[in-house]
Amino acid sequence: MKRRVGTGAAPGKVILFGEHAVVYGRPAIAAALGTGLGATVEADATGPVLRIPAWGRGGQQVRLESAGGSFESISRAFAVALTQVGLISAEARQVAVTVDGGIPPGVGLGSSAAFSVAVLRALFDYAGHPASPQTVLAAAMEMERVFHGTPSGLDHTIVTHGGCARFQRGQAPTFESTFESLPVGRPLTLVVSWSPRELTTRGVVARLRERRERYPLPFERLFDAIGEVTREGQVALSNGDLEQLGLLFDHNHGLLSALGVSTLANEQLVSLSRRGGAYGAKLTGAGGGGAVLALMPEERCSSLVSTFEREGFKAFATTIEATP
Ligand code: MEV
């Protein structure tokens, strides 16, 4: 028996250490953000239709066949979600899905993973099928493939599970074998800033893959070094050692620059963060523009957010809570 309304939600995420190297089997550490996306599903005889008022087009409707432009992959991922939930027939697909919330799209804060998981949870709820985390993860991976080509699975795993965790891609990844919740010894105050992306995640990951195929050795060494920083980051996180975490943020950012995934805008955000009193700063997510994380003393956060706004960037402050 179908319910008339289904709801689901999922947080955004930040990668503290190890982006890109995680695609090549090294560990990464990520944390769920306190803000995210929510989805609501209702019956609609003109469906399937998707609305994402916060992401532009003034709430315009996205349909499966005619999205075009930047909504093309969203519409294809929406089709995958309907299929994954078992809404196959034209009649079963008579739904309207509305997605809203505070994660900006396409800047490295897990918008596509939050979109995928929130929409899946809402559709499963609407269809009256309880879904285990494993089922949501497998379905979200199919949607993330539409968005990103060859994702590691890190983004939708942290977004599904929440908290702060270490992730390492396995040969035959399962939730249990790839994901380990981590203790955080002290709350982390972060300022997240961003500029528009020059390339999509799919584009940055593909370009890095080409370069690594041409010059495997130097890239493998950089991935190894990032893996080492991530392991040290895990210890510093658990000890609540902010100075050491800042140093490791800086180190990880330098290695990401060496991989070629940082842009002038990323460098400018990192440099403003450091001048604004950060313990350390790094790009987060795929790079190619997009978001930068600054680990901050709490009392300096609001002045750094104002600096970014004055310079024409967007920014917000957020906290990752301590966990035993
Ligand atoms: C994107 O948020 C993180 C990357 O490591 C890609 C991935 O893990 O799939 C760049």
Side-chain angles (χ1 to χ4, degrees), residues 24 198-199 201-214 219 259-263 287-288:
Y24 298 89
E198 291 171 20
L199 282 177
T201 296
R202 178 193 272 272
V204 184
V205 169
R207 196 174 64 179
L208 179 56
R209 187 175 291 284
E210 269 169 39
R211 289 179 178 169
R212 184 238 174 214
E213 270 162 21
R214 255 185 293 146
F219 282 97
L259 289 179
V261 299
S262 181
T263 63

Side-chain angles (χ1 to χ4, degrees), residues 211-282:
R211 289 179 178 169
R212 184 238 174 214
E213 270 162 21
R214 255 185 293 146
Y215 307 110
L217 197 57
F219 282 97
E220 286 301 316
R221 289 204 170 128
L222 289 168
F223 295 144
D224 282 341
I226 292 174
E228 199 46 50
V229 170
T230 302
R231 277 182 276 277
E232 291 191 25
Q234 181 173 344
V235 176
L237 259 182
S238 138
N239 292 340
D241 186 342
L242 300 180
E243 305 273 347
Q244 176 70 358
L245 279 170
L247 201 123
L248 293 167
F249 266 30
D250 288 345
H251 196 168
N252 195 162
H253 182 74
L255 292 164
L256 288 163
S257 300
L259 289 179
V261 299
S262 181
T263 63
L264 283 178
N266 288 133
E267 295 303 321
Q268 192 183 354
L269 293 171
V270 164
S271 141
L272 285 170
S273 302
R274 291 181 185 149
R275 270 190 275 153
Y279 292 106
K282 65 180 281 289

Side-chain angles (χ1 to χ4, degrees), residues 13 15 18-23 28 108-110 144 148 150-155 167 169 197 201 204-205 208 284-287:
K13 67 94 194 28
I15 298 180
E19 49 274 272
H20 287 294
V22 69
V23 176
L109 298 176
E144 283 284 85
H148 299 318
T150 54
S152 65
L154 164 66
D155 288 16
F167 176 91
R169 189 179 199 169
R197 294 281 284 280
T201 296
V204 184
V205 169
L208 179 56
T284 185

Side-chain angles (χ1 to χ4, degrees), residues 16-323:
L16 300 175
F17 297 106
E19 49 274 272
H20 287 294
V22 69
V23 176
Y24 298 89
R26 275 58 164 198
I29 297 175
L33 286 169
T35 171
L37 297 177
T40 308
V41 182
E42 290 166 288
D44 185 323
T46 72
V49 59
L50 176 67
R51 303 183 190 99
I52 319 179
W55 287 0
R57 288 196 174 187
Q60 191 176 323
Q61 301 185 342
V62 177
R63 295 197 176 265
L64 294 188
E65 316 76 25
S66 59
S70 60
F71 279 74
E72 179 65 33
S73 51
I74 291 181
S75 122
R76 281 194 293 124
F78 179 39
V80 170
L82 293 166
T83 304
Q84 290 287 324
V85 176
L87 302 175
I88 310 283
S89 69
E91 194 195 342
R93 290 182 167 210
Q94 289 181 344
V95 292
V97 180
T98 305
V99 177
D100 222 339
I103 299 294
V107 299
L109 298 176
S111 57
S112 68
F115 169 84
S116 301
V117 173
V119 167
L120 285 166
R121 282 178 170 157
L123 286 172
F124 276 121
D125 187 35
Y126 176 81
H129 302 321
S132 67
Q134 284 286 12
T135 305
V136 172
L137 282 172
M141 185 65 168
E142 295 310 312
M143 295 174 74
E144 283 284 85
R145 284 205 176 100
V146 173
F147 286 115
H148 299 318
T150 54
S152 65
L154 164 66
D155 288 16
H156 72 274
T157 305
I158 186 73
V159 154
T160 303
H161 187 273
C164 179
R166 178 184 188 277
F167 176 91
Q168 189 156 12
R169 189 179 199 169
Q171 287 299 311
T174 66
F175 195 57
E176 292 76 17
S177 73
T178 54
F179 188 86
E180 179 195 344
S181 287
L182 292 184
V184 179
R186 214 201 269 204
L188 307 181
T189 312
L190 299 168
V191 170
V192 182
S193 58
W194 68 93
S195 63
R197 294 281 284 280
E198 291 171 20
L199 282 177
T200 60
T201 296
R202 178 193 272 272
V204 184
V205 169
R207 196 174 64 179
L208 179 56
R209 187 175 291 284
E210 269 169 39
R211 289 179 178 169
R212 184 238 174 214
E213 270 162 21
R214 255 185 293 146
Y215 307 110
L217 197 57
F219 282 97
E220 286 301 316
R221 289 204 170 128
L222 289 168
F223 295 144
D224 282 341
I226 292 174
E228 199 46 50
V229 170
T230 302
R231 277 182 276 277
E232 291 191 25
Q234 181 173 344
V235 176
L237 259 182
S238 138
N239 292 340
D241 186 342
L242 300 180
E243 305 273 347
Q244 176 70 358
L245 279 170
L247 201 123
L248 293 167
F249 266 30
D250 288 345
H251 196 168
N252 195 162
H253 182 74
L255 292 164
L256 288 163
S257 300
L259 289 179
V261 299
S262 181
T263 63
L264 283 178
N266 288 133
E267 295 303 321
Q268 192 183 354
L269 293 171
V270 164
S271 141
L272 285 170
S273 302
R274 291 181 185 149
R275 270 190 275 153
Y279 292 106
K282 65 180 281 289
L283 72 77
T284 185
V292 159
L293 283 185
L295 179 64
M296 295 299 292
E298 204 179 333
E299 66 281 4
R300 301 190 71 167
C301 280
S302 58
S303 104
L304 182 60
V305 170
S306 307
T307 304
F308 284 129
E309 287 169 353
R310 246 192 343 268
E311 297 287 331
F313 297 111
K314 297 210 165 107
F316 62 85
T318 186
T319 304
I320 294 171
E321 299 303 336
T323 48

